[in-house]
Amino acid sequence: RVLAKHVGPITRIASGCTAVEVEKIEAEWKRIDATGTFRVHAAPSTALENGRYKYSNKPGGLLHFLTHVSLDADYVALVDPDMVMVRPLT
């Protein structure tokens, strides 16, 4: 975020996490960025087949985020944690 000079908020969507896991993620993000631009959205698990197919958590978590959060943005970008931002998202 710093090297790319991105100024907007960044939200991690944590799907299927326990309350304790969400607290740990929130604490880590507060340690990294005390300004509050790094946020966490806890979404319920949407894993299929009784939890055996966890890959549905990404689209399910994004849907939960989009339907439960009030956004002041025209666009939302889904970025995986292993992606590197080299310039601001505009």
Side-chain angles (χ1 to χ4, degrees):
R1 174 174 130 45
V2 174
L3 295 176
K5 297 181 176 58
H6 180 72
V7 295
I10 296 175
T11 303
R12 176 177 178 178
I13 300 173
S15 298
C17 293
T18 65
V20 172
E21 292 169 326
V22 171
E23 286 177 15
K24 287 180 182 179
I25 294 167
E26 288 173 339
E28 177 186 3
W29 282 62
K30 285 178 186 173
R31 183 183 56 77
I32 293 170
D33 175 41
T35 67
T37 57
F38 284 12
R39 304 170 184 170
V40 178
H41 175 79
S45 175
T46 55
L48 301 175
E49 298 180 16
N50 295 324
R52 292 189 310 255
Y53 190 76
K54 63 182 180 182
Y55 306 105
S56 58
N57 274 328
K58 184 185 291 187
L62 181 60
L63 178 62
H64 187 274
F65 174 74
L66 293 173
T67 57
H68 288 83
V69 173
S70 198
L71 294 174
D72 184 26
D74 294 328
Y75 301 96
V76 173
L78 176 63
V79 181
D80 284 326
D82 60 348
M83 297 175 85
V84 177
M85 293 173 54
V86 294
R87 64 178 186 237
L89 296 174
T90 58

